[in-house]
């Protein structure tokens, strides 16, 4: 096939080279943005009298027809035409004749592809933000529904102190809030118009980049044409933000996989979101969560790809940069899929309140409350810690829980311990006492929920 850039070539491109260099097999997903960008560009060319108004109108009509053909599935993308940009431009020239060739006036594929990715990513980031916000809502409603459930809070995966399940769930709400902020921040840097940088130097033609920015709703125009065509920071930033989001989803997945196990039994996952084993009839596996955990690795891999692709690239555009798209697209697809399935599944998870509460009884979870009780009586915290440690050791040696101790036994360790201690080392009072800002008391958790909802 004759190439649009074939003028200076005397030999046809090798088939293997066509197969090796093509990107249409994955960049065809940018078609809508390519047409939108071209339409704005051509409108500007007409307005600036770089091409005539009639020519601009003809080209826009042609682009609209191509859009309809792609939408209806009639359009044939060809590998010999390399990428989405040249597929669409060739179709236009085929339709309009030489006038079609005016579309590429004052631009290059280097600024064109940068524009397409930015337009695409702008939409995708907005969608991702909407999904994260939905998932945050799920956590709030779970927290509200389970406001009376106490569970062991863990450090080192050892029972540490009793907490409200709601407080634990809202920890994810906070993480996801930072994810939203990161994506919004990233969006600000995606939202810059690169078009009009041409190959790398700008153009001698009297274009109006600010007008194009207005048409495409870009709040900013890139300042340096060399930077604009060689910048993929925004792709790396998006994948980095996605990686951090995936950290959060993987931690949630891991916890819920543990909690769903026979060993914990803190939750029951909904049947419709689990799968069976092909050999063990009794199994109900948490595959959705396992895959979310696994896909996290895939997104990190994409981050490593884009960072390594861009590393040490001399300015400006290099073909290496075509490799940005697959990790980007894969990240977009993966993040959206994980968020989507969690949004559906989490509201259906059953929390086993009794099991969680029973788990708070063993493990001396209120030992810190005993120490803080002594602190309130004037004992320096270090001493209070040591006294309480000895109480715990005594309990272990005598196979007792803290609440099994009678007052005389406790008084052997400190005569500051009074009968009101039994109040303070109950799990409920321990939780309710955590009234410090951001603490797990019911009062403070409800304050947070109210604030979130207002
Ligand atoms: N398919 C190319 C890419 O994705 C488009 C830009 C090609 N530019 C060039 N000078 N060959 O990067």
């Amino acid at each position: 096939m004759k190439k649009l850039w074939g003028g200076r070539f005397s030999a046809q491109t090798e088939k293997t080279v066509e197969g090796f260099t093509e990107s249409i097999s994955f960049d065809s997903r940018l078609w809508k943005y390519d047409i939108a960008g071209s339409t704005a560009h051509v409108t500007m060319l007409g307005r600036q009298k770089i091409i005539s108004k009639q020519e601009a109108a003809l080209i826009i009509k042609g682009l609209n027809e191509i859009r309809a053909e792609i939408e209806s599935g009639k359009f044939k993308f060809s590998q010999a035409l390399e990428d989405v940009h040249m597929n669409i431009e060739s179709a236009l020239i085929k339709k309009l004749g030489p006038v079609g060739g005016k579309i590429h006036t004052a631009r290059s594929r280097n600024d064109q592809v940068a524009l397409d990715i930015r337009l695409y990513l702008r939409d995708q980031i907005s969608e991702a933000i909407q999904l994260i916000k939905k998932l945050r809502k799920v956590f709030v409603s779970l927290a509200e529904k389970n406001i009376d459930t106490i569970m062991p809070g863990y450090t080192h995966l050892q029972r540490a102190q009793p907490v409200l399940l709601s407080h634990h769930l809202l920890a994810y709400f906070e993480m996801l809030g930072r994810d939203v902020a990161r994506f919004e921040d990233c969006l600000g840097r995606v939202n810059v118009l690169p078009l009009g940088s041409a190959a790398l130097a700008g153009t001698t033609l009297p274009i109006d980049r600010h007008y194009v920015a207005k048409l495409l709703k870009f709040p900013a125009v890139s300042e340096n044409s060399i930077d604009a065509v060689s910048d993929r920071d925004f792709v790396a930033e998006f994948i980095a933000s996605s990686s951090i989001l995936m950290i959060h989803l993987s931690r949630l997945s891991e916890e819920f996989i543990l909690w769903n196990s026979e060993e914990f039994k803190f939750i029951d996952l909904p049947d419709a979101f689990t799968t069976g084993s092909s050999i063990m009839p009794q199994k109900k596996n948490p595959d959705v969560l396992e895959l979310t955990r696994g896909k996290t690795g895939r997104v990190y891999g994409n981050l490593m790809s884009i960072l390594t692709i861009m590393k040490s690239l001399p300015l400006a555009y290099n073909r290496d940069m075509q490799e940005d798209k697959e990790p980007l697209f894969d990240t977009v697809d993966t993040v959206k899929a994980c968020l989507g399935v969690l949004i559906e599944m989490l509201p259906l998870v059953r929390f086993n309140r009794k099991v969680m509460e029973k788990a708070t009884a063993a493990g001396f979870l209120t030992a810190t409350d005993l120490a803080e009780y002594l602190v309130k009586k004037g004992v320096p915290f270090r001493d209070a810690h040591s006294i309480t440690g000895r109480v715990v050791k005594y309990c272990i040696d005598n196979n007792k829980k803290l609440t099994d101790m009678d007052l005389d036994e406790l008084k052997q360790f400190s005569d500051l311990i009074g009968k009101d201690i039994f109040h303070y080392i109950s799990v409920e009072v321990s939780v309710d006492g955590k009234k410090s800002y951001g603490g797990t008391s019911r009062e403070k958790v409800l304050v947070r929920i109210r604030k979130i909802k207002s």
Side-chain angles (χ1 to χ4, degrees):
M1 188 177 296
K2 198 166 159 291
K3 306 286 188 221
L4 292 175
W5 41 252
R8 60 99 71 212
F9 288 81
S10 45
Q12 287 257 316
T13 316
E14 279 295 341
K15 270 268 163 284
T16 38
V17 174
E18 280 186 359
F20 188 75
T21 55
E22 67 88 25
S23 55
I24 190 63
S25 56
F26 48 87
D27 70 12
S28 60
R29 77 157 83 183
L30 297 173
W31 69 265
K32 204 167 76 184
Y33 303 102
D34 198 72
I35 291 178
S38 291
T39 304
H41 181 65
V42 166
T43 307
M44 180 276 291
L45 292 177
R47 189 168 182 261
Q48 296 297 101
K49 305 199 166 57
I50 298 169
I51 63 176
S52 75
K53 286 246 155 119
Q54 293 87 314
E55 287 168 335
L58 263 178
I59 293 174
I60 290 169
K61 189 165 159 281
L63 287 170
N64 286 337
E65 285 169 24
I66 292 171
R67 177 190 292 119
E69 284 161 31
I70 298 176
E71 270 167 356
S72 67
K74 263 192 272 163
F75 193 91
K76 287 238 171 325
F77 289 108
S78 145
Q79 182 181 292
L81 290 169
E82 224 175 286
D83 56 25
V84 65
H85 325 294
M86 291 207 289
N87 268 270
I88 291 175
E89 188 181 329
S90 298
L92 192 74
I93 293 170
K94 215 155 130 203
K95 251 182 217 305
L96 306 181
V99 175
K102 295 208 172 187
I103 192 180
H104 212 52
T105 311
R107 76 171 184 194
S108 114
R109 272 187 296 156
N110 301 347
D111 55 344
Q112 189 179 358
V113 71
L115 172 69
D116 290 7
I117 305 171
R118 284 174 185 270
L119 286 170
Y120 162 81
L121 197 50
R122 192 162 84 166
D123 275 4
Q124 296 303 325
I125 292 176
S126 302
E127 275 183 43
I129 289 174
Q130 288 320 307
L131 287 170
I132 301 171
K133 286 185 173 168
K134 267 197 195 156
L135 186 57
R136 292 186 89 204
K137 280 210 176 117
V138 171
F139 279 107
V140 177
S141 81
L142 288 175
E144 268 189 304
K145 257 195 250 158
N146 295 283
I147 190 68
D148 290 317
T149 302
I150 295 177
M151 63 173 287
Y154 292 83
T155 63
H156 314 265
L157 199 56
Q158 310 287 317
R159 289 175 190 168
Q161 290 188 294
V163 294
L164 285 188
L165 168 60
S166 303
H167 197 51
H168 191 110
L169 294 172
L170 287 179
Y172 286 99
F173 174 87
E174 305 296 345
M175 296 177 220
L176 294 171
R178 295 192 294 274
D179 292 320
V180 169
R182 261 185 292 273
F183 279 124
E184 282 171 348
D185 191 53
C186 172
L187 190 54
R189 276 177 295 275
V190 170
N191 224 350
V192 178
L193 176 87
L195 197 71
S197 302
L200 79 163
T203 172
T204 56
L205 297 162
I207 59 173
D208 181 351
R209 298 187 63 208
H210 292 86
Y211 179 65
V212 177
K214 212 171 103 196
L215 291 178
L216 293 171
K217 302 194 167 52
F218 279 102
V221 175
S222 62
E223 297 291 342
N224 180 304
S225 58
I226 295 176
D227 178 45
V229 292
S230 54
D231 171 27
R232 292 294 181 274
D233 292 3
F234 59 98
V235 174
E237 270 189 71
F238 171 77
I239 305 180
S241 303
S242 298
S243 297
I244 299 177
L245 166 67
M246 291 305 293
I247 296 180
H248 301 148
L249 302 188
S250 76
R251 296 181 80 173
L252 172 77
S253 299
E254 171 75 3
E255 289 203 316
F256 276 30
I257 289 166
L258 283 172
W259 291 6
N260 182 61
S261 70
E262 210 52 49
E263 283 69 14
F264 274 81
K265 266 289 155 237
F266 281 7
I267 57 171
D268 286 311
L269 295 175
D271 270 9
F273 287 82
T274 48
T275 53
S277 155
S278 57
I279 173 168
M280 297 166 284
Q282 84 283 12
K283 290 287 289 285
K284 182 175 136 179
N285 294 328
D287 302 38
V288 165
L289 298 168
E290 293 170 280
L291 282 167
T292 303
R293 191 175 57 183
K295 285 174 190 294
T296 304
R298 183 172 170 147
V299 173
Y300 294 2
N302 292 336
L303 177 60
M304 206 39 69
S305 288
I306 187 67
L307 294 174
T308 314
I309 290 162
M310 296 309 294
K311 176 184 176 292
S312 314
L313 274 190
L315 305 183
Y317 178 85
N318 298 270
R319 192 62 178 270
D320 312 45
M321 289 159 69
Q322 177 167 295
E323 293 287 318
D324 63 350
K325 283 167 210 63
E326 285 158 295
L328 173 63
F329 296 160
D330 186 68
T331 301
V332 166
D333 295 344
T334 303
V335 161
K336 278 164 68 179
C338 293
L339 289 168
V341 71
L342 290 175
I343 288 166
E344 287 184 33
M345 184 177 94
L346 293 185
L348 305 174
V349 172
R350 261 212 357 253
F351 293 89
N352 300 326
R353 181 175 170 182
K354 291 231 164 66
V355 181
M356 288 187 164
E357 281 175 3
K358 213 173 137 212
T360 62
F364 309 101
L365 268 68
T366 57
T368 313
D369 299 278
L370 171 55
E372 287 185 359
Y373 172 90
L374 291 168
V375 166
K376 283 178 213 151
K377 304 232 156 173
V379 181
F381 180 76
R382 255 318 131 223
D383 299 335
H385 185 283
S386 152
I387 293 167
T388 309
R390 276 180 272 130
V391 174
V392 168
K393 180 164 188 319
Y394 174 89
C395 285
I396 293 170
D397 292 345
N398 293 279
N399 199 18
K400 287 185 173 203
K401 296 185 192 135
L402 268 186
T403 45
D404 296 336
M405 300 277 279
D406 62 34
L407 190 56
D408 289 338
E409 271 176 307
L410 282 169
K411 273 196 176 298
Q412 293 169 19
F413 297 91
S414 163
D415 49 19
L416 290 170
I417 299 179
K419 137 160 146 284
D420 57 345
I421 185 60
F422 296 107
H423 173 71
Y424 288 106
I425 58 173
S426 84
V427 164
E428 290 75 18
V429 175
S430 161
V431 170
D432 267 344
K434 303 295 185 315
K435 291 196 204 309
S436 50
Y437 190 86
T440 193
S441 68
R442 193 187 151 95
E443 180 190 314
K444 285 293 187 285
V445 173
L446 284 173
V447 165
R448 182 65 185 133
I449 291 176
R450 230 171 290 130
K451 193 165 160 213
I452 291 166
K453 293 181 80 178
S454 68

